[in-house]
Each structure stands twice: as C-alpha cells, then as structure tokens.
Amino acid sequence: MDCRVALCQMRPKLGVIDSNLEAHHQWLDKAIAAGAQLAVFPELSLTGYFLRDLTQDIAMKIDDPRIATLVARSHECSVVFGFVEESREHLFYNSVAFAEDGKILHVHRKVHLPDYGIFEEGRYFASGDSFQSVESKYGRFGLLICEDAWHVTSGWLHFLNGVDAILMPVASPARGIDTDEPELSSQKSWRNLTDAQALLFQTWILRCNRVGFEDGTMFWGGSAFISPFGSAVVEAHGEEEELLVHTIESESLKRARIQTPLLRDERPHMVRSHLARFLNDPDAQRGIQAQDESSDPS
C-alpha cells in the first residue's frame, strides 16, 4: 500500500455544477502532473455545501454524463469526489464516489447527518446505512464523510475490516474566529479527533477539507495526512486553495501494528453480546447463547 495521494483543498461554487466540474478536471491535471495515483476532493465538491432548497435541483444519478467524465479520468488517476446522489427511489444522499480504472468501485452515502447549529442535513438528505471498504489496486480504503468521523463506531468498523487508510472528505466551517487563540476551535477539534483515530485504529487518515465562503460561513481548510502513529506529517497552510501531495506507505502501518497489536486483541464478539442487551434483542441474545454453548469444549 504505497500510494501517492493528492488532497485537493478547493473552493467549490454553490450550486454551479458545470464550473465545479471544470475545476475538478483542472485539479486532476495538477495532481497527475505531481505524480499522484489517487486524488481526493472535499465533501460535496461538485455542488457546494449549503444547498438547502437547491438539493433536489442539483442532484445527479450515478450514471449522469457529468459524473462519467470524472470516472473516465480515473484511468489516469483514481479519484474520490463528492456530490448529491439521487437514488432510483428518488431519495437524496450526501455521497462520495471512489472511481478507478474507468469504473466506480464504491459510493459511500453519509450515515450521520448533522442537524444542529447551522447544519440542516437531516432536513434535505436521506441517511446511508453502511460502512464498506474499497478494494483498490493501491490498498484497502475506508470512506467517512465529515460527521461520520465524529461517531467512533464508523471508524471502528473500518478498523475491524483492516483498512490501510481512511479517506475523510469534509466541509468543516470555521469556529472560534473571535478569540485570541492561536488556532480555530474547529481546527483544534478536528486535529485532536483525527490524530486520536489514526492512533487507535492504526491507519493513515487523509482529511480533505474545503475553503471559501458560503452564505456568510467560512471553511477553514487544514487538509492533512495523519500517520498511523497519530500525528500529521503534512498539513495545508490555511484557508486558501492548496494541492497537498504525499506518499502514504505500508511500512508505517506495519510498524504501528506490530508495536501495538490492537486489532489482534479486539473483542467484537463481546461488543455484539452487549449490543444485544442494550437493544433488548432477545433473538440475538438466544443466537449468541447458542453459539457460545456450541463452542464450549466442556
């Protein structure tokens, strides 16, 4: 899993898909020129974030010709990009697609939709219901979209599946601007979160945030590569557009996992039994009991 990755810290235009699509191709040109094998864009990179009543108008089905142009570019460089997906049932999802070698390997639909403060995603989007890994020629990747990362079970499921890296497209607004602190409170929170998850899940975490203003809100950027030892090895300078390129390599994964074999010592079966009790699921409890009895050597 040695892969040269470009994080495209861009400034999408709200609701202007054609312009954003052209920008994606320009960013891909830069990424390929820099030797990138995989390019990652922020959350909702094709549409902008605060869509509200525009959501249904700018939604695209997965076979949309505009999406097809990006998928075609994945012959040159694998690509992860964000868009509003319209399903066959005419539900709308905050989604990211992972394309490689001219085809879409996986579409992740955001599971945890923030609906507090300035966020209103629960009003406009349906929620995804799974965290599946992506089997790429460059390794095994997990996808989390912004708020997904704030729920520990999201990354834990990828950890159990042995991903090499978690790709994290986000659209994080700036918070804590009106203080004398050396960094934004949102920046500090995201750094603490992703450093801790990289350490606990022993994986590379690639956080790709956007920049620019929408509806009076600033997005702070700060895209970063976080190593399996829980520290950023490369981080964007600030609130401007930037192409961040770095090679994530398997040697760091190997050293971290040999040094502290957390996955070996994990106990998902124990979690399963606790969840059956918490959820008051008698069928699951009986199944677990039967399985325990059948495996008891006595």
Side-chain angles (χ1 to χ4, degrees):
M1 199 283 302
D2 295 328
C3 179
R4 189 162 175 81
V5 184
L7 302 183
C8 303
Q9 184 171 288
M10 65 177 297
R11 182 186 292 108
K13 294 180 180 179
L14 184 63
V16 190
I17 292 179
D18 289 344
S19 177
N20 293 329
L21 180 61
E22 182 181 355
H24 276 62
H25 285 290
Q26 293 171 354
W27 282 95
L28 280 171
D29 290 340
K30 297 175 186 177
I32 293 166
Q37 297 161 301
L38 168 64
V40 180
F41 288 87
E43 176 182 12
L44 293 175
S45 56
L46 278 173
T47 63
Y49 181 76
F50 287 113
L51 294 162
R52 299 189 176 93
D53 293 338
L54 292 174
T55 300
Q56 297 180 11
D57 295 333
I58 54 80
M60 292 178 283
K61 295 182 178 179
I62 197 63
D63 59 354
D64 188 284
R66 292 165 293 183
I67 288 178
T69 67
L70 288 178
V71 175
R73 293 296 302 275
S74 70
H75 283 292
E76 306 169 80
C77 177
S78 301
V79 57
V80 173
F81 57 91
F83 66 108
V84 177
E85 177 195 1
E86 181 179 356
S87 73
R88 291 180 180 179
E89 302 78 21
H90 305 294
L91 299 177
F92 302 94
Y93 295 93
N94 180 339
S95 297
V96 293
F98 190 117
E100 187 171 276
D101 291 337
K103 60 184 178 180
I104 294 177
L105 299 185
H106 181 59
V107 175
H108 172 63
R109 294 168 170 174
K110 191 174 183 178
V111 173
H112 298 288
L113 303 176
D115 206 14
Y116 54 82
I118 63 174
F119 304 108
E120 300 178 295
E121 289 189 42
R123 180 177 178 183
Y124 299 102
F125 293 111
S127 177
D129 60 6
S130 67
F131 294 101
Q132 301 176 31
S133 61
V134 183
E135 299 295 337
S136 162
K137 62 185 179 183
Y138 299 117
R140 178 178 294 173
F141 296 99
L143 291 167
L144 299 180
I145 305 176
C146 207
E147 184 79 8
D148 286 342
W150 287 91
H151 297 261
V152 67
T153 49
S154 309
W156 184 67
L157 290 171
H158 285 315
F159 166 66
L160 292 181
N161 206 25
V163 299
D164 301 312
I166 294 177
L167 309 178
M168 206 175 280
V170 305
S172 172
R175 296 180 179 177
I177 295 176
D178 55 348
T179 70
D180 295 328
E181 295 296 321
E183 63 181 0
L184 299 168
S185 60
S186 50
Q187 182 179 9
K188 182 178 180 180
S189 296
W190 271 102
R191 181 180 290 121
N192 290 340
L193 173 71
T194 49
D195 286 0
Q197 290 191 347
L199 182 66
L200 292 175
F201 300 146
Q202 297 182 315
T203 183
W204 284 94
I205 287 185
L206 280 56
R207 185 182 71 232
C208 186
N209 194 16
R210 58 158 293 178
V211 293
F213 285 83
E214 273 185 15
D215 203 20
T217 299
M218 184 185 85
F219 294 86
W220 59 276
S223 301
F225 291 83
I226 299 100
S227 82
F229 290 97
S231 60
V233 293
V234 185
E235 189 168 3
H237 296 297
E239 301 82 34
E240 299 299 325
E241 291 188 313
E242 184 172 346
L243 184 72
L244 206 64
V245 182
H246 184 71
T247 299
I248 56 174
E249 36 78 30
S250 56
E251 183 60 30
S252 295
L253 289 172
K254 179 180 177 180
R255 286 190 289 109
R257 294 172 182 179
I258 290 176
Q259 178 176 305
T260 313
L262 298 180
L263 183 59
R264 183 199 68 186
D265 298 337
E266 196 63 37
R267 295 292 181 266
H269 182 74
M270 180 190 69
V271 175
R272 179 188 178 208
S273 64
H274 281 294
L275 284 175
R277 288 195 294 272
F278 292 153
L279 298 174
N280 192 25
D281 188 340
D283 291 336
Q285 291 176 0
R286 283 191 292 269
I288 294 169
Q289 183 178 358
Q291 184 178 21
D292 291 342
E293 290 173 353
S294 65
S295 61
D296 188 347
S298 62

